[in-house]
Amino acid sequence: MIDGKTKILGVMGDPIEHTFSPAMHNAGLKELGMNYIYLPFHVKPERLSFAIDGAKALGIQGFNVTIPHKTNVMKHLNQIDQVASMIGAVNTIQFIYDEDIESSNQDNEINVTTKGFNTDGYGCVRAIEEKTSIKNKKVTITGAGGASRAVAFQIASSGIEELSLLNRNLSKAESLVADLKTNLASIGIDIGINAYGIDDLKRELSDSDIFIDTTPIGMYPNVDDKAIASADMFHEDLLVNDIVYTPMETSLIKEAKLANATVVPGYKMLLYQGIRSFEIWLGREAPVDVMEKALLDVLGI
Ligand code: ATR
Protein backbone atom coordinates (compact mmCIF):
# COMPACT_ATOMS: atom_id res chain seq x y z
CA MET A 1 0.00 0.00 0.00
CA ILE A 2 1.27 3.50 -0.83
CA ASP A 3 1.52 5.73 2.24
CA GLY A 4 3.55 8.67 3.52
CA LYS A 5 6.72 6.58 3.74
CA THR A 6 6.67 5.07 0.26
CA LYS A 7 9.96 5.55 -1.61
CA ILE A 8 10.15 6.01 -5.37
CA LEU A 9 12.18 4.27 -8.08
CA GLY A 10 11.54 4.61 -11.80
CA VAL A 11 12.56 4.48 -15.41
CA MET A 12 12.89 7.46 -17.71
CA GLY A 13 12.98 7.49 -21.47
CA ASP A 14 11.40 8.92 -24.60
CA PRO A 15 9.20 7.08 -25.50
CA ILE A 16 8.49 5.13 -22.30
CA GLU A 17 4.99 3.66 -22.62
CA HIS A 18 6.25 0.26 -23.84
CA THR A 19 8.57 -0.36 -20.87
CA PHE A 20 8.44 -3.79 -19.21
CA SER A 21 10.48 -2.68 -16.19
CA PRO A 22 7.69 -1.51 -13.84
CA ALA A 23 6.02 -4.94 -13.87
CA MET A 24 9.27 -6.70 -13.06
CA HIS A 25 10.48 -4.30 -10.35
CA ASN A 26 7.13 -3.82 -8.60
CA ALA A 27 6.73 -7.60 -8.38
CA GLY A 28 10.18 -7.84 -6.75
CA LEU A 29 9.45 -5.01 -4.31
CA LYS A 30 6.13 -6.57 -3.33
CA GLU A 31 7.74 -9.97 -2.80
CA LEU A 32 10.28 -8.49 -0.39
CA GLY A 33 7.58 -6.40 1.37
CA MET A 34 9.46 -3.16 0.67
CA ASN A 35 7.59 0.12 0.85
CA TYR A 36 8.71 1.27 -2.61
CA ILE A 37 7.04 1.91 -5.96
CA TYR A 38 8.64 1.83 -9.43
CA LEU A 39 7.13 4.25 -11.96
CA PRO A 40 7.60 5.19 -15.65
CA PHE A 41 8.62 8.78 -16.44
CA HIS A 42 8.34 10.22 -19.93
CA VAL A 43 11.29 12.61 -20.16
CA LYS A 44 11.98 14.54 -23.38
CA PRO A 45 15.67 15.13 -24.21
CA GLU A 46 15.45 18.89 -23.58
CA ARG A 47 14.10 18.22 -20.07
CA LEU A 48 16.75 15.74 -18.96
CA SER A 49 18.68 18.05 -16.62
CA PHE A 50 15.41 19.24 -15.03
CA ALA A 51 14.40 15.61 -14.53
CA ILE A 52 17.62 14.83 -12.67
CA ASP A 53 17.37 17.96 -10.52
CA GLY A 54 13.68 17.28 -9.92
CA ALA A 55 14.45 13.70 -8.89
CA LYS A 56 16.99 14.97 -6.35
CA ALA A 57 14.50 17.48 -4.95
CA LEU A 58 11.78 14.84 -4.70
CA GLY A 59 14.01 12.28 -3.02
CA ILE A 60 13.81 9.66 -5.79
CA GLN A 61 15.92 6.65 -4.80
CA GLY A 62 16.90 5.23 -8.17
CA PHE A 63 16.31 5.43 -11.90
CA ASN A 64 16.72 3.23 -14.88
CA VAL A 65 17.60 5.26 -17.92
CA THR A 66 16.66 4.20 -21.43
CA ILE A 67 16.77 5.55 -24.99
CA PRO A 68 17.65 8.35 -25.80
CA HIS A 69 19.24 9.41 -22.48
CA LYS A 70 21.83 6.71 -21.73
CA THR A 71 24.84 8.77 -22.79
CA ASN A 72 23.60 12.32 -22.28
CA VAL A 73 22.65 11.67 -18.66
CA MET A 74 26.29 10.99 -17.72
CA LYS A 75 27.25 14.66 -17.57
CA HIS A 76 24.57 15.24 -14.92
CA LEU A 77 25.96 12.60 -12.54
CA ASN A 78 28.66 12.88 -9.84
CA GLN A 79 30.23 9.44 -10.23
CA ILE A 80 30.34 6.89 -13.04
CA ASP A 81 31.19 3.25 -12.43
CA GLN A 82 34.25 1.97 -14.34
CA VAL A 83 32.39 -0.33 -16.75
CA ALA A 84 29.74 2.33 -17.49
CA SER A 85 32.49 4.82 -18.13
CA MET A 86 34.22 2.48 -20.61
CA ILE A 87 30.90 1.75 -22.33
CA GLY A 88 30.04 5.43 -22.39
CA ALA A 89 26.44 4.82 -21.34
CA VAL A 90 24.48 4.56 -18.10
CA ASN A 91 21.24 2.63 -17.58
CA THR A 92 21.03 2.84 -13.78
CA ILE A 93 21.31 5.80 -11.40
CA GLN A 94 21.60 5.52 -7.66
CA PHE A 95 20.73 8.61 -5.59
CA ILE A 96 22.47 8.78 -2.23
CA TYR A 97 21.09 11.49 0.06
CA ASP A 98 22.96 13.31 2.76
CA GLU A 99 20.24 14.10 5.28
CA ASP A 100 22.27 16.95 6.84
CA ILE A 101 19.68 19.65 6.18
CA GLU A 102 21.73 22.40 7.87
CA SER A 103 24.73 22.05 5.59
CA SER A 104 22.49 21.78 2.53
CA ASN A 105 20.94 25.11 3.48
CA GLN A 106 24.35 26.70 3.85
CA ASP A 107 25.50 26.19 0.27
CA ASN A 108 21.98 26.31 -1.17
CA GLU A 109 22.53 22.96 -2.89
CA ILE A 110 20.77 19.65 -2.58
CA ASN A 111 23.23 17.30 -0.88
CA VAL A 112 22.90 14.17 -2.93
CA THR A 113 25.42 12.02 -4.73
CA THR A 114 24.36 10.50 -8.05
CA LYS A 115 26.15 7.36 -9.23
CA GLY A 116 25.79 5.93 -12.74
CA PHE A 117 26.09 2.25 -13.64
CA ASN A 118 25.57 0.18 -16.78
CA THR A 119 23.96 -3.17 -15.98
CA ASP A 120 23.14 -4.17 -19.59
CA GLY A 121 26.38 -6.10 -20.17
CA TYR A 122 26.11 -7.65 -16.70
CA GLY A 123 22.61 -8.84 -17.68
CA CYS A 124 23.96 -10.60 -20.74
CA VAL A 125 26.88 -12.21 -18.88
CA ARG A 126 24.65 -13.47 -16.05
CA ALA A 127 22.10 -14.83 -18.55
CA ILE A 128 24.86 -16.84 -20.23
CA GLU A 129 26.37 -17.94 -16.94
CA GLU A 130 23.04 -19.56 -16.00
CA LYS A 131 24.03 -22.16 -18.63
CA THR A 132 27.83 -22.13 -18.76
CA SER A 133 30.88 -20.36 -17.37
CA ILE A 134 32.38 -17.79 -19.74
CA LYS A 135 35.86 -18.14 -18.24
CA ASN A 136 38.55 -18.84 -20.87
CA LYS A 137 35.96 -19.08 -23.65
CA LYS A 138 35.99 -17.77 -27.19
CA VAL A 139 33.07 -15.40 -27.74
CA THR A 140 31.76 -14.14 -31.08
CA ILE A 141 29.50 -11.09 -31.19
CA THR A 142 27.61 -9.73 -34.21
CA GLY A 143 26.68 -6.04 -34.39
CA ALA A 144 28.70 -2.98 -33.40
CA GLY A 145 26.04 -0.55 -32.10
CA GLY A 146 25.16 0.54 -28.57
CA ALA A 147 24.00 -2.87 -27.39
CA SER A 148 27.11 -4.58 -28.75
CA ARG A 149 29.28 -2.01 -26.99
CA ALA A 150 27.72 -2.67 -23.58
CA VAL A 151 27.89 -6.45 -24.01
CA ALA A 152 31.41 -6.47 -25.46
CA PHE A 153 32.96 -4.37 -22.68
CA GLN A 154 31.39 -6.49 -19.94
CA ILE A 155 32.16 -9.81 -21.61
CA ALA A 156 35.75 -8.80 -22.40
CA SER A 157 36.36 -7.85 -18.78
CA SER A 158 34.84 -11.07 -17.39
CA GLY A 159 37.70 -13.53 -17.93
CA ILE A 160 37.12 -14.74 -21.51
CA GLU A 161 40.05 -15.80 -23.66
CA GLU A 162 39.17 -14.38 -27.07
CA LEU A 163 36.58 -12.09 -28.64
CA SER A 164 35.62 -11.76 -32.30
CA LEU A 165 33.39 -8.83 -33.19
CA LEU A 166 31.69 -8.94 -36.59
CA ASN A 167 29.66 -6.24 -38.27
CA ARG A 168 28.07 -5.54 -41.67
CA ASN A 169 29.93 -2.24 -41.68
CA LEU A 170 33.48 -3.44 -40.95
CA SER A 171 34.90 -0.04 -40.04
CA LYS A 172 32.37 0.25 -37.17
CA ALA A 173 33.55 -3.11 -35.80
CA GLU A 174 37.17 -2.02 -36.17
CA SER A 175 36.57 1.20 -34.33
CA LEU A 176 34.75 -0.57 -31.46
CA VAL A 177 37.55 -3.14 -31.21
CA ALA A 178 40.20 -0.38 -31.10
CA ASP A 179 38.24 1.31 -28.32
CA LEU A 180 37.85 -1.97 -26.42
CA LYS A 181 41.58 -2.67 -26.63
CA THR A 182 42.59 0.79 -25.41
CA ASN A 183 40.17 0.78 -22.49
CA LEU A 184 40.88 -2.79 -21.42
CA ALA A 185 44.64 -2.22 -21.59
CA SER A 186 44.15 0.68 -19.17
CA ILE A 187 42.77 -1.77 -16.60
CA GLY A 188 45.38 -4.43 -17.32
CA ILE A 189 43.30 -6.77 -19.52
CA ASP A 190 45.07 -8.13 -22.58
CA ILE A 191 43.06 -10.67 -24.56
CA GLY A 192 42.75 -11.40 -28.28
CA ILE A 193 40.06 -9.12 -29.76
CA ASN A 194 39.50 -9.00 -33.53
CA ALA A 195 37.14 -7.22 -35.92
CA TYR A 196 35.71 -8.94 -39.01
CA GLY A 197 32.96 -8.52 -41.59
CA ILE A 198 29.77 -10.62 -41.41
CA ASP A 199 31.06 -12.88 -44.23
CA ASP A 200 33.55 -14.36 -41.76
CA LEU A 201 30.84 -15.49 -39.35
CA LYS A 202 30.84 -19.19 -40.30
CA ARG A 203 34.60 -19.46 -39.79
CA GLU A 204 34.55 -17.59 -36.46
CA LEU A 205 31.65 -19.69 -35.12
CA SER A 206 33.40 -22.96 -35.94
CA ASP A 207 35.77 -22.61 -32.95
CA SER A 208 33.63 -20.34 -30.73
CA ASP A 209 32.01 -21.41 -27.45
CA ILE A 210 29.53 -18.54 -27.22
CA PHE A 211 27.71 -16.52 -29.90
CA ILE A 212 25.77 -13.33 -29.11
CA ASP A 213 23.75 -11.54 -31.78
CA THR A 214 23.20 -7.89 -30.82
CA THR A 215 21.64 -6.80 -34.15
CA PRO A 216 17.89 -6.10 -34.32
CA ILE A 217 17.38 -8.74 -37.04
CA GLY A 218 14.16 -10.69 -36.40
CA MET A 219 12.77 -8.20 -33.90
CA TYR A 220 8.99 -7.65 -33.98
CA PRO A 221 7.45 -6.74 -36.44
CA ASN A 222 10.24 -8.14 -38.71
CA VAL A 223 9.83 -11.64 -37.29
CA ASP A 224 10.32 -13.30 -40.70
CA ASP A 225 13.75 -11.73 -41.29
CA LYS A 226 16.36 -14.27 -42.27
CA ALA A 227 18.54 -14.97 -39.21
CA ILE A 228 22.11 -13.69 -39.26
CA ALA A 229 23.34 -17.31 -39.05
CA SER A 230 21.83 -20.67 -40.01
CA ALA A 231 21.83 -24.06 -38.31
CA ASP A 232 24.65 -25.40 -40.51
CA MET A 233 26.97 -22.72 -39.06
CA PHE A 234 26.44 -23.93 -35.47
CA HIS A 235 27.87 -26.85 -33.54
CA GLU A 236 26.31 -28.69 -30.60
CA ASP A 237 28.70 -27.22 -28.03
CA LEU A 238 27.89 -23.66 -29.02
CA LEU A 239 25.76 -21.41 -26.81
CA VAL A 240 23.61 -19.03 -28.86
CA ASN A 241 22.17 -15.84 -27.34
CA ASP A 242 19.94 -13.47 -29.31
CA ILE A 243 19.40 -10.29 -27.32
CA VAL A 244 16.12 -9.61 -29.15
CA TYR A 245 13.22 -10.57 -26.84
CA THR A 246 10.18 -9.87 -29.01
CA PRO A 247 9.42 -12.50 -30.17
CA MET A 248 10.79 -14.87 -27.53
CA GLU A 249 11.74 -17.39 -30.23
CA THR A 250 13.48 -15.39 -32.96
CA SER A 251 14.53 -16.84 -36.30
CA LEU A 252 18.05 -17.16 -34.87
CA ILE A 253 16.89 -19.11 -31.82
CA LYS A 254 14.97 -21.48 -34.15
CA GLU A 255 18.17 -22.12 -36.15
CA ALA A 256 20.12 -22.71 -32.93
CA LYS A 257 17.56 -25.28 -31.77
CA LEU A 258 17.76 -27.08 -35.12
CA ALA A 259 21.49 -27.44 -34.56
CA ASN A 260 21.01 -28.68 -30.97
CA ALA A 261 23.00 -25.72 -29.69
CA THR A 262 22.37 -24.34 -26.18
CA VAL A 263 19.97 -21.41 -26.33
CA VAL A 264 19.71 -18.27 -24.18
CA PRO A 265 16.59 -16.21 -25.05
CA GLY A 266 16.84 -12.41 -25.15
CA TYR A 267 14.51 -11.71 -22.23
CA LYS A 268 17.14 -13.10 -19.83
CA MET A 269 19.42 -10.10 -20.45
CA LEU A 270 16.49 -7.76 -19.79
CA LEU A 271 15.74 -9.69 -16.60
CA TYR A 272 19.27 -9.67 -15.22
CA GLN A 273 20.04 -6.04 -16.05
CA GLY A 274 16.95 -5.27 -13.94
CA ILE A 275 18.04 -7.66 -11.18
CA ARG A 276 21.38 -5.87 -10.92
CA SER A 277 19.75 -2.40 -10.84
CA PHE A 278 17.37 -3.60 -8.10
CA GLU A 279 20.31 -4.88 -6.07
CA ILE A 280 22.25 -1.62 -6.50
CA TRP A 281 19.31 0.47 -5.25
CA LEU A 282 18.14 -1.77 -2.42
CA GLY A 283 21.41 -3.34 -1.28
CA ARG A 284 19.88 -6.79 -1.03
CA GLU A 285 19.39 -9.85 -3.18
CA ALA A 286 16.55 -9.59 -5.69
CA PRO A 287 13.86 -12.31 -5.88
CA VAL A 288 14.82 -13.54 -9.35
CA ASP A 289 12.03 -16.12 -9.82
CA VAL A 290 9.25 -13.68 -8.97
CA MET A 291 10.70 -10.93 -11.15
CA GLU A 292 11.20 -13.39 -14.03
CA LYS A 293 7.60 -14.55 -13.82
CA ALA A 294 6.33 -10.95 -13.81
CA LEU A 295 8.50 -10.13 -16.82
CA LEU A 296 7.30 -13.17 -18.76
CA ASP A 297 3.69 -12.31 -17.91
CA VAL A 298 4.02 -8.75 -19.19
CA LEU A 299 5.86 -9.95 -22.30
CA GLY A 300 2.87 -12.25 -22.89
CA ILE A 301 4.97 -15.40 -22.77
P1 ATR B 1 21.62 -0.94 -30.74
O1 ATR B 1 21.72 0.27 -29.87
O2 ATR B 1 20.41 -1.80 -30.48
O3 ATR B 1 22.88 -1.73 -30.74
P2 ATR B 1 22.32 0.31 -33.23
O4 ATR B 1 23.32 1.17 -32.51
O5 ATR B 1 21.47 0.91 -34.29
O6 ATR B 1 21.34 -0.41 -32.23
O7 ATR B 1 23.16 -0.91 -33.88
C1 ATR B 1 22.56 -1.91 -34.64
C2 ATR B 1 23.64 -2.88 -35.12
O8 ATR B 1 22.97 -3.94 -35.83
C3 ATR B 1 24.65 -2.28 -36.07
O9 ATR B 1 25.89 -2.87 -35.83
C4 ATR B 1 24.09 -2.68 -37.44
O10 ATR B 1 25.07 -2.87 -38.45
P3 ATR B 1 25.67 -1.62 -39.31
O11 ATR B 1 26.63 -0.93 -38.42
O12 ATR B 1 26.33 -2.28 -40.46
O13 ATR B 1 24.49 -0.78 -39.69
C5 ATR B 1 23.49 -4.03 -37.15
N1 ATR B 1 22.40 -4.36 -38.07
C6 ATR B 1 21.18 -3.82 -38.11
N2 ATR B 1 20.43 -4.40 -39.08
C7 ATR B 1 21.23 -5.33 -39.68
C8 ATR B 1 21.06 -6.25 -40.73
N3 ATR B 1 19.90 -6.35 -41.38
N4 ATR B 1 22.11 -7.05 -41.06
C9 ATR B 1 23.27 -6.97 -40.41
N5 ATR B 1 23.51 -6.11 -39.39
C10 ATR B 1 22.50 -5.30 -39.02
Side-chain angles (χ1 to χ4, degrees):
M1 195 188 70
I2 297 170
D3 61 19
K5 293 182 187 145
T6 304
K7 293 186 171 168
I8 298 172
L9 300 167
V11 54
M12 60 174 175
D14 176 30
I16 200 62
E17 58 264 35
H18 302 299
T19 178
F20 298 111
S21 295
M24 173 168 64
H25 284 287
N26 284 314
L29 294 165
K30 187 173 170 210
E31 173 70 12
L32 296 185
M34 304 197 74
N35 194 356
Y36 278 77
I37 188 163
Y38 182 106
L39 299 168
F41 294 98
H42 184 194
V43 176
K44 295 269 190 198
E46 62 274 20
R47 297 183 188 148
L48 181 59
S49 71
F50 300 115
I52 296 294
D53 281 347
K56 292 177 187 174
L58 293 169
I60 301 258
Q61 300 291 305
F63 266 146
N64 279 134
V65 182
T66 188
I67 292 166
H69 305 310
K70 286 185 173 189
T71 297
N72 291 337
V73 79
M74 294 174 77
K75 59 178 174 286
H76 301 292
L77 307 179
N78 303 119
Q79 295 174 22
I80 307 287
D81 163 79
Q82 188 180 60
V83 170
S85 157
M86 288 195 297
I87 294 169
V90 153
N91 79 330
T92 303
I93 305 172
Q94 180 184 27
F95 294 81
I96 303 165
Y97 293 91
D98 174 354
E99 300 303 346
D100 184 354
I101 304 296
E102 231 173 88
S103 73
S104 79
N105 283 343
Q106 274 168 14
D107 57 13
N108 205 23
E109 294 243 336
I110 305 167
N111 277 340
V112 47
T113 303
T114 47
K115 288 189 184 177
F117 301 84
N118 191 309
T119 70
D120 289 328
Y122 169 93
C124 182
V125 169
R126 188 154 162 197
I128 291 168
E129 292 215 308
E130 257 190 0
K131 299 271 174 151
T132 184
S133 164
I134 67 167
K135 293 275 176 290
N136 305 317
K137 298 286 172 67
K138 171 171 174 175
V139 180
T140 289
I141 297 178
T142 42
S148 171
R149 201 178 161 82
V151 168
F153 269 99
Q154 189 76 52
I155 286 264
S157 42
S158 299
I160 63 163
E161 186 166 297
E162 191 183 340
L163 175 63
S164 292
L165 209 140
L166 287 70
N167 197 46
R168 181 173 60 180
N169 173 344
L170 175 59
S171 67
K172 249 168 92 179
E174 285 172 338
S175 121
L176 177 50
V177 164
D179 212 14
L180 274 161
K181 284 184 170 168
T182 312
N183 277 283
L184 292 168
S186 76
I187 55 168
I189 295 176
D190 179 20
I191 53 168
I193 308 180
N194 294 294
Y196 302 106
I198 292 291
D199 290 347
D200 293 328
L201 186 54
K202 185 168 186 171
R203 184 197 67 223
E204 288 308 306
L205 288 178
S206 66
D207 64 347
S208 287
D209 304 290
I210 294 164
F211 170 43
I212 307 164
D213 182 21
T214 70
T215 72
I217 298 170
M219 189 193 299
Y220 180 84
N222 305 313
V223 296
D224 294 326
D225 276 359
K226 189 166 168 287
I228 201 158
S230 50
D232 60 298
M233 295 162 74
F234 300 148
H235 54 85
E236 277 188 22
D237 296 328
L238 186 69
L239 179 147
V240 178
N241 175 210
D242 189 344
I243 71 163
V244 168
Y245 53 83
T246 51
M248 169 100 149
E249 189 165 279
T250 58
S251 47
L252 181 67
I253 296 291
K254 285 183 187 146
E255 294 292 329
K257 284 183 174 170
L258 280 175
N260 270 330
T262 302
V263 160
V264 175
Y267 86 86
K268 290 275 187 180
M269 172 170 162
L270 178 63
L271 169 69
Y272 284 117
Q273 63 76 33
I275 295 290
R276 181 76 193 118
S277 300
F278 188 101
E279 292 178 346
I280 287 170
W281 297 321
L282 299 160
R284 57 188 289 189
E285 209 174 304
V288 174
D289 292 352
V290 169
M291 290 172 72
E292 180 166 12
K293 186 178 177 310
L295 179 60
L296 290 173
D297 282 351
V298 76
L299 284 168
I301 296 164

